[in-house]
Amino acid sequence: MTQRPSQSRTRLVMGNWKMNGSLLANAALLQALVAGASRARGAQLAVCAPFPYLPQLQELLAGSLISWGAQDVSVHEQGAYTGEVSGSMLRDFACTWVLCGHSERRAMHGESSSLVAAKTSAALALGLAPVVCVGETLADRDAGRVEQVIAEQLEPILGLGAAALNKLVLAYEPVWAIGTGRTASPEQAQAVHGFIRSALTRSEAGQTRILYGGSVKAANAAALFSQPDIDGALVGGASLVADEFLNIAAA
Ligand code: 13P
């Protein structure tokens, strides 16, 4: 069921810095974002940074129009899990958001869809808002398996139930469009966003935000945002350049 963006779905433009940044570079970027945040014209702005920079985000973004979060979370609360970071630790730095199941974590760290759902559930239990990422590879697309792959990735998330779905955000990021400069066309993206929305129940469908990610830049943002089921963007490379990120938000 394709729906027009409604007032209940505020547009969200979120930067995923991935493993980029330094204290010095972040300070300049964050100050420019705070100074320009009003250009977002009602869209929500957010930044997901590497763990060590969360205190810096808290310091520089508190009280601004920009919320922040992390790029991953452990399913565990605490204990002997070397290298893991728990949701309560993210809460200590006032994170609102956490990315769950980004394709780079699925591909490079072997995260299964059931683990992604467990992380989503752990994040929700601590009051974090998960941004759950799904997306097909080029091989999946060429084989005509887009909907099958997305449905498989979504299944354990849908199983978390309506209370969970009303709090999380979904992100469609076709793997072949990430960091490649090759964006899905607005029509290609809308087709999958519509498919994802049709997998939600009626009340969830009206409310759940579905972001698009994959080589989003100022030049293509407006066309993507004009699609009825695209509620914002998850931005990688372009989120490292303040002006470009703000121009996307203004689109
Ligand atoms: P790019 O915008 O660099 O293609 O990255 C997209 C992405 O993976 C955001 O999570």
Side-chain angles (χ1 to χ4, degrees):
M1 142 204 7
T2 289
Q3 305 210 352
R4 296 264 133 212
S6 70
Q7 283 302 86
S8 63
R9 298 206 305 270
T10 306
R11 189 156 287 160
L12 173 60
V13 176
M14 179 175 286
N16 172 11
W17 288 1
K18 308 194 177 184
M19 199 177 74
N20 292 292
S22 67
L23 283 175
L24 201 63
N26 302 347
L29 174 54
L30 292 168
Q31 278 152 12
L33 291 180
V34 169
S38 59
R39 282 164 58 191
R41 297 189 305 171
Q44 264 182 305
L45 285 175
V47 170
C48 291
F51 295 129
Y53 298 131
L54 295 177
Q56 189 185 24
L57 298 191
Q58 186 177 20
E59 186 192 332
L60 295 182
L61 297 180
S64 79
L65 294 171
I66 307 170
S67 54
W68 61 94
Q71 299 169 12
D72 186 30
V73 64
S74 176
V75 291
H76 304 291
E77 280 179 35
Q78 61 174 9
Y81 304 103
T82 302
E84 295 271 283
V85 173
S86 73
S88 60
M89 294 171 186
L90 302 184
R91 292 292 313 217
D92 275 346
F93 295 98
C95 287
T96 300
W97 308 100
V98 62
L99 303 182
C100 293
H102 190 280
S103 65
E104 285 151 17
R105 295 214 57 88
R106 291 179 190 260
M108 297 174 202
H109 301 273
E111 291 195 5
S112 66
S113 294
S114 59
L115 178 68
V116 173
K119 290 186 172 197
T120 303
S121 183
L124 284 167
L126 287 160
L128 294 159
V131 179
V132 182
C133 307
V134 298
E136 82 287 358
T137 63
L138 190 55
D140 295 327
R141 179 163 282 266
D142 288 345
R145 286 170 29 91
V146 176
E147 294 192 351
Q148 185 186 334
V149 167
I150 302 293
E152 282 165 9
Q153 293 174 343
L154 274 181
E155 188 189 64
I157 299 298
L158 299 179
L160 297 177
L165 281 155
N166 287 333
K167 291 196 194 94
L168 57 76
V169 171
L170 296 170
Y172 168 57
E173 298 204 310
V175 176
W176 49 272
I178 294 178
T180 58
R182 193 181 152 187
T183 329
S185 69
E187 294 73 25
Q188 281 174 319
Q190 167 57 31
V192 180
H193 282 239
F195 172 73
I196 293 171
R197 203 174 298 287
S198 72
L200 305 172
T201 66
R202 199 178 175 79
S203 72
E204 293 154 4
Q207 200 171 321
T208 304
R209 288 181 287 185
I210 310 173
L211 311 183
Y212 170 79
S215 299
V216 176
K217 21 186 194 292
N220 57 29
L224 288 161
F225 294 162
S226 71
Q227 300 299 316
D229 289 304
I230 298 182
D231 303 313
L234 185 54
V235 185
S239 72
L240 300 170
V241 182
D243 212 41
E244 186 72 11
F245 187 62
L246 291 168
N247 284 339
I248 291 169

